[in-house]
Amino acid sequence: MRATIKNYIEAANRRREEEGEEGFSLIELIIVVVILGILVAVAIPIFSNIQATAQQNAVDAAAADAAVAVAAALADSSTTTTPATAIAPYTGGDITVAFKSGTAPTTIDGVCMTSSGYSKTGQSGPGC
């Protein structure tokens, strides 16, 4: 079958060269369209997976950032920043960050932050 198609294409190319025709044959155009269709069919699921992974990474990063901010607020007693005010920059937008226990921890070992957004959840901190 493969040799038959190859022979047909070669014969069509020779005929076009002899008659002075220019352009692509219908079979060549169909082959290009099929190849493009296959590439698109492979690319769309890969793109969807990349987008879902990026959303999960954003949720995890927000929890980790908030955990670091709360731990820093607890460790540095010379500032007026409290754990509750430390997470304020991370609670807006598409992702919500909160204390896992519902209340602010009193020690660094008790820090556990949860984040949610994009129908995904994440948590971070030494107390998790």
Side-chain angles (χ1 to χ4, degrees), residues 45-61 118 120:
I46 290 174
F47 176 73
S48 297
N49 189 25
I50 288 172
Q51 199 170 23
T53 302
Q55 290 172 344
Q56 182 63 50
N57 289 344
V59 170
D60 292 342
Y118 308 111
K120 299 179 183 333

Side-chain angles (χ1 to χ4, degrees), residues 25-78:
S25 69
L26 182 60
I27 290 177
E28 291 169 332
L29 293 175
I30 289 173
I31 290 171
V32 169
V33 169
V34 167
I35 291 172
L36 289 174
I38 291 170
L39 291 174
V40 168
V42 168
I44 289 175
I46 290 174
F47 176 73
S48 297
N49 189 25
I50 288 172
Q51 199 170 23
T53 302
Q55 290 172 344
Q56 182 63 50
N57 289 344
V59 170
D60 292 342
D65 289 347
V68 169
V70 169
L74 288 171
D76 189 7
S77 61
S78 65

Side-chain angles (χ1 to χ4, degrees), residues 71-120:
L74 288 171
D76 189 7
S77 61
S78 65
T79 66
T80 58
T81 304
T82 64
T85 58
I87 66 167
Y90 305 101
T91 57
D94 296 330
I95 299 173
T96 303
V97 178
F99 299 109
K100 183 176 182 185
S101 63
T103 58
T106 56
T107 64
I108 293 176
D109 292 338
V111 175
C112 184
M113 304 303 298
T114 62
S115 60
S116 60
Y118 308 111
S119 302
K120 299 179 183 333

